[in-house]
Amino acid sequence: MNNTHIELRHLRLLQAVAEAGGLTAAAERLHLTQSAVSHQLKALEDALGLPLVERAARPLGLTAAGRRLLALAHAALPQVDAALRDLAKLKDGDAGELRIAVECHTCYDWLMPAMDSYRDVWPGVELDLLGGFQADPVGLLLDGRADLVITSEAGSRAGVVHAPLFGFEMLALLPPGHPLAAKKWLAPADFADQTLITYPVPEDRLDLVRRVLAPAGIKPPRREAQLTVAILQLVASRRGLAALPAWAVAPYLERGYVVARSIGRHGLWAELYAAVRAADAARAFVADFIDTVRRDSFARLPGIRAAVTPP
Amino acid sequence: MNNTHIELRHLRLLQAVAEAGGLTAAAERLHLTQSAVSHQLKALEDALGLPLVERAARPLGLTAAGRRLLALAHAALPQVDAALRDLAKLKDGDAGELRIAVECHTCYDWLMPAMDSYRDVWPGVELDLLGGFQADPVGLLLDGRADLVITSEAGSRAGVVHAPLFGFEMLALLPPGHPLAAKKWLAPADFADQTLITYPVPEDRLDLVRRVLAPAGIKPPRREAQLTVAILQLVASRRGLAALPAWAVAPYLERGYVVARSIGRHGLWAELYAAVRAADAARAFVADFIDTVRRDSFARLPGIRAAVTPP
DNA sequence: GTTCGATATGAGTGTTGTTCATGTAAACAA
DNA sequence: TTGTTTACATGAACAACACTCATATCGAAC
């Protein structure tokens, strides 16, 4: 029957479920409750008269019907997005300038590919990347020296909008065979007698220090390194511990170069935001840059989750 | 912006508006009120921040944005339909038998192409066409000698479901230059002294006689012909008048072979139904045959409208 | 067994799509 | 011109539906 009342909402739902590997995780991405996802999926299955997901398996598997519908989602949703982009260009024009300042060192890992995707669909937008460490990157927006800032601070300043990108886990990195590797997760006290290897930034910019160690009154010695590989090399050679975003270390973990542990019972989670001037937030090429980063990151980065603050 | 809440419903709406050339006509096809279509279109335009249709022109024109979105509809909706068909096959299987009996002579005009489209997507279904005039075609369903009957009678019999296909206008055909051609439409009395040329069927099967002439107490002489071309030839050579469905005579009208006039102020409209056994109505390959006929007919036949009885 | 993480379910609520009843505007006829 | 017809717009009332909240159920790990 073709009169089945199917909507793009259903396709987005199925895609999210398949990608997230579970209803709860899908709900988070869609900024819905788990209940809504469960209800909606059931309603869809009832309407079609076919089960779409294997409820037993974890990660959740799709049935043959589910896979067919997912194939439709993969075919149709990008077409829809492309059309909406074209409409946005018709409305706002398709040219502009986007000078991007980046606060976090490891962000280049995902920012570069995202910029490449973006360039494909907005060839008329001039992309610039501002280098060097900035004391007050959001200030650059108001100075007019940058148009978009990637930051981990949600702090809202007048005239600036912070759009949440995604949440990620900071993992503690240990050399293989380190005594602490026996634990499932590390408590603040575990860092007491360890050297901390970090990027060369002030202490209050390090989530591990500001949110975990400082509150616990622990102040381990620090050693700084400029590059991610250098930090990993120091950890691997047992000069100390480090804390880096999960996505940045995934390739090294696979090779067994270092091992990772969560920080605290539920892990140390941080968020990234794209800050733009309020006046620019509604401009199509700006809004779509943020969308592109979100989509691209979810497709590419392991161990990230939707931002808690809805976009 | 991509977070715009667009749904397949919107695409179907825009497609219907574009094809029907107006909101009112689109509403009829979608089995909605004109108000609903107007509201929904306005909501969509507001959400996108762009006008989609040129309200002034008649038939309604699309803006550049409307055309872009229509292109999306043309790309995406067939994919959706194909996916739903595949799901139906997964559910019910993809094979079956469909013996079709046809009551109306001119129906072969659209039935053949529709059957061709259908065969493409349901290669496993055995299609058969039952020939010859049937006194009680719906009876064949209950006898088990046919599986689907094309009929113009809505009359519901136990165990048989009548699915409306579309409404069409019966046009009165006159030779060019006939005195009655001066009128915009013909009244019952106009037929009083004219010979009526018809297919060889009982009088009570002729809509013109049963619904117009008989109630007015008019009983013109009849002359019968087997073939549509024969009827048209007799009309053109001034042997009498005929009444045929608009779609069946469109090509002859274009060539000026005959001229057509409405019967009555608002025209004489009839409907066609597909009758199937109630037990078969839910089977995917049966339901989709009916859908295919509807879609195909609307795409191909001029001067038809949605059935008044909602499907 | 208990606990934890994940999905299901029922009731209540807010949103939104639809209809109904008009209003308005343009085209056409008298 | 006025009346008539046809098509689209609009506001209020209603109905349907999607979502949330709270809670139940299920399964796996300990």
Coordinates of all heavy atoms in Angstrom, one line a residue, chain B residues 23-24 34-35 38-39 55 58, chain D residues 5-12:
Chain B
L23 N -4.9 25.8 -6.3 CA -5.1 25.2 -5.0 C -6.3 24.4 -4.8 O -6.3 23.3 -4.2 CB -5.1 26.3 -3.9 CG -3.9 27.3 -3.9 CD1 -3.8 27.9 -2.5 CD2 -2.6 26.6 -4.3
T24 N -7.4 24.9 -5.4 CA -8.7 24.2 -5.3 C -8.6 22.8 -5.9 O -9.0 21.8 -5.3 CB -9.8 25.0 -5.9 OG1 -9.8 26.3 -5.4 CG2 -11.2 24.4 -5.6
Q34 N -10.0 23.1 0.3 CA -9.2 24.1 -0.3 C -8.5 24.9 0.8 O -7.4 25.4 0.7 CB -10.1 25.1 -1.1 CG -9.4 26.3 -1.6 CD -9.6 27.5 -0.7 OE1 -10.7 27.7 -0.1 NE2 -8.6 28.3 -0.5
S35 N -9.2 25.1 1.9 CA -8.7 25.8 3.1 C -7.4 25.2 3.6 O -6.4 25.8 3.9 CB -9.7 25.9 4.2 OG -9.2 26.6 5.3
S38 N -4.5 25.9 1.3 CA -4.1 27.2 1.4 C -3.3 27.5 2.7 O -2.2 28.0 2.7 CB -5.3 28.2 1.4 OG -4.9 29.5 1.6
H39 N -3.8 27.0 3.8 CA -3.1 27.1 5.1 C -1.7 26.4 5.1 O -0.7 27.0 5.5 CB -3.9 26.4 6.2 CG -5.0 27.3 6.8 ND1 -4.7 28.5 7.4 CD2 -6.3 27.2 6.8 CE1 -5.9 29.1 7.8 NE2 -6.9 28.3 7.4
R55 N 0.6 33.8 -7.0 CA -0.8 33.7 -6.8 C -1.6 34.3 -7.9 O -2.8 34.0 -8.1 CB -1.2 34.4 -5.5 CG -0.3 34.0 -4.3 CD -0.3 32.5 -4.1 NE 0.6 32.1 -3.1 CZ 0.3 31.7 -1.9 NH1 -0.9 31.6 -1.6 NH2 1.2 31.3 -1.0
R58 N -3.1 32.4 -13.7 CA -4.0 31.2 -13.7 C -3.8 30.6 -15.1 O -4.0 31.2 -16.1 CB -5.4 31.7 -13.6 CG -6.3 30.6 -13.1 CD -7.1 31.1 -11.9 NE -6.4 32.2 -11.2 CZ -6.1 32.2 -9.9 NH1 -6.3 31.2 -9.2 NH2 -5.4 33.2 -9.4
Chain D
dT5 P -24.2 32.5 -10.4 OP1 -25.1 31.5 -11.1 OP2 -24.3 32.7 -9.0 O5' -22.7 32.0 -10.8 C5' -22.2 32.3 -12.1 C4' -20.7 32.2 -12.0 O4' -20.0 33.4 -11.5 C3' -20.2 31.0 -11.1 O3' -19.3 30.2 -11.9 C2' -19.5 31.7 -10.0 C1' -19.0 33.0 -10.6 N1 -18.8 34.2 -9.7 C2 -17.7 35.0 -9.8 O2 -16.9 34.8 -10.7 N3 -17.6 36.0 -8.9 C4 -18.5 36.3 -7.9 O4 -18.3 37.2 -7.2 C5 -19.7 35.4 -7.8 C7 -20.7 35.6 -6.7 C6 -19.8 34.4 -8.7
dT6 P -18.9 28.8 -11.4 OP1 -19.1 27.9 -12.5 OP2 -19.5 28.6 -10.0 O5' -17.3 28.9 -11.2 C5' -16.5 29.7 -12.1 C4' -15.2 30.1 -11.4 O4' -15.4 31.3 -10.6 C3' -14.7 29.0 -10.4 O3' -13.4 28.7 -10.8 C2' -14.8 29.7 -9.1 C1' -14.7 31.2 -9.4 N1 -15.3 32.1 -8.4 C2 -14.6 33.3 -8.1 O2 -13.6 33.6 -8.7 N3 -15.3 34.0 -7.2 C4 -16.4 33.7 -6.5 O4 -16.9 34.5 -5.7 C5 -17.0 32.5 -6.9 C7 -18.3 32.1 -6.2 C6 -16.4 31.7 -7.8
dA7 P -12.6 27.5 -10.0 OP1 -11.9 26.7 -11.0 OP2 -13.5 26.9 -9.0 O5' -11.5 28.4 -9.2 C5' -10.8 29.4 -9.9 C4' -10.0 30.2 -8.9 O4' -10.8 31.1 -8.2 C3' -9.3 29.3 -7.8 O3' -8.0 29.6 -7.6 C2' -10.1 29.6 -6.5 C1' -10.6 31.0 -6.8 N9 -11.8 31.3 -6.1 C8 -12.9 30.5 -6.0 N7 -13.9 31.0 -5.3 C5 -13.4 32.2 -4.8 C6 -13.9 33.2 -4.0 N6 -15.1 33.2 -3.4 N1 -13.1 34.3 -3.7 C2 -11.8 34.3 -4.3 N3 -11.3 33.5 -5.1 C4 -12.1 32.4 -5.3
dC8 P -7.0 28.7 -6.7 OP1 -5.8 28.5 -7.4 OP2 -7.8 27.6 -6.2 O5' -6.7 29.7 -5.5 C5' -6.1 31.0 -5.8 C4' -6.2 31.9 -4.6 O4' -7.6 32.1 -4.2 C3' -5.5 31.3 -3.3 O3' -4.6 32.2 -2.8 C2' -6.7 31.0 -2.3 C1' -7.7 32.1 -2.8 N1 -9.1 31.7 -2.6 C2 -10.0 32.5 -1.8 O2 -9.5 33.6 -1.4 N3 -11.2 32.1 -1.6 C4 -11.7 31.0 -2.0 N4 -13.0 30.6 -1.8 C5 -10.9 30.1 -2.8 C6 -9.6 30.5 -3.0
dA9 P -3.9 32.0 -1.4 OP1 -2.6 32.8 -1.4 OP2 -4.0 30.6 -1.0 O5' -4.9 32.9 -0.4 C5' -5.1 34.2 -0.6 C4' -5.7 34.9 0.6 O4' -7.1 34.5 0.8 C3' -5.0 34.6 1.9 O3' -4.9 35.8 2.7 C2' -5.9 33.5 2.5 C1' -7.2 33.9 2.1 N9 -8.2 32.8 1.8 C8 -8.0 31.7 1.0 N7 -9.0 30.9 1.0 C5 -9.9 31.5 1.8 C6 -11.3 31.1 2.2 N6 -11.8 30.0 1.7 N1 -11.9 31.9 3.0 C2 -11.3 33.1 3.4 N3 -10.1 33.5 3.1 C4 -9.5 32.7 2.3
dT10 P -4.1 35.8 4.1 OP1 -3.6 37.2 4.2 OP2 -3.2 34.7 4.1 O5' -5.3 35.6 5.2 C5' -6.5 36.4 5.1 C4' -7.4 36.0 6.2 O4' -8.3 34.9 5.8 C3' -6.7 35.5 7.5 O3' -7.3 36.2 8.6 C2' -7.0 34.0 7.5 C1' -8.4 34.0 6.9 N1 -8.8 32.7 6.3 C2 -10.1 32.3 6.4 O2 -10.9 32.9 7.1 N3 -10.4 31.1 5.8 C4 -9.5 30.3 5.1 O4 -9.9 29.2 4.6 C5 -8.2 30.8 5.0 C7 -7.2 30.0 4.2 C6 -7.9 31.9 5.6
dG11 P -6.5 36.5 9.9 OP1 -6.2 37.9 10.0 OP2 -5.4 35.5 9.9 O5' -7.5 36.1 11.0 C5' -8.9 36.6 10.9 C4' -9.8 35.7 11.8 O4' -10.1 34.5 11.0 C3' -9.2 35.1 13.0 O3' -10.1 35.2 14.1 C2' -8.8 33.7 12.7 C1' -9.9 33.3 11.7 N9 -9.6 32.3 10.8 C8 -8.4 32.1 10.1 N7 -8.4 31.1 9.3 C5 -9.7 30.5 9.4 C6 -10.3 29.4 8.8 O6 -9.8 28.6 8.0 N1 -11.6 29.2 9.2 C2 -12.2 30.0 10.1 N2 -13.5 29.7 10.4 N3 -11.7 31.1 10.7 C4 -10.4 31.3 10.3
dA12 P -9.8 34.8 15.6 OP1 -10.0 36.0 16.4 OP2 -8.4 34.2 15.6 O5' -10.9 33.7 15.8 C5' -12.1 33.8 15.2 C4' -12.9 32.6 15.4 O4' -12.6 31.6 14.4 C3' -12.7 31.9 16.8 O3' -13.9 31.3 17.3 C2' -11.7 30.8 16.5 C1' -12.1 30.4 15.0 N9 -11.0 29.9 14.2 C8 -9.7 30.4 14.1 N7 -9.0 29.8 13.2 C5 -9.8 28.8 12.7 C6 -9.6 27.8 11.8 N6 -8.5 27.6 11.1 N1 -10.7 27.0 11.5 C2 -11.8 27.2 12.1 N3 -12.1 28.1 13.1 C4 -11.1 28.9 13.3

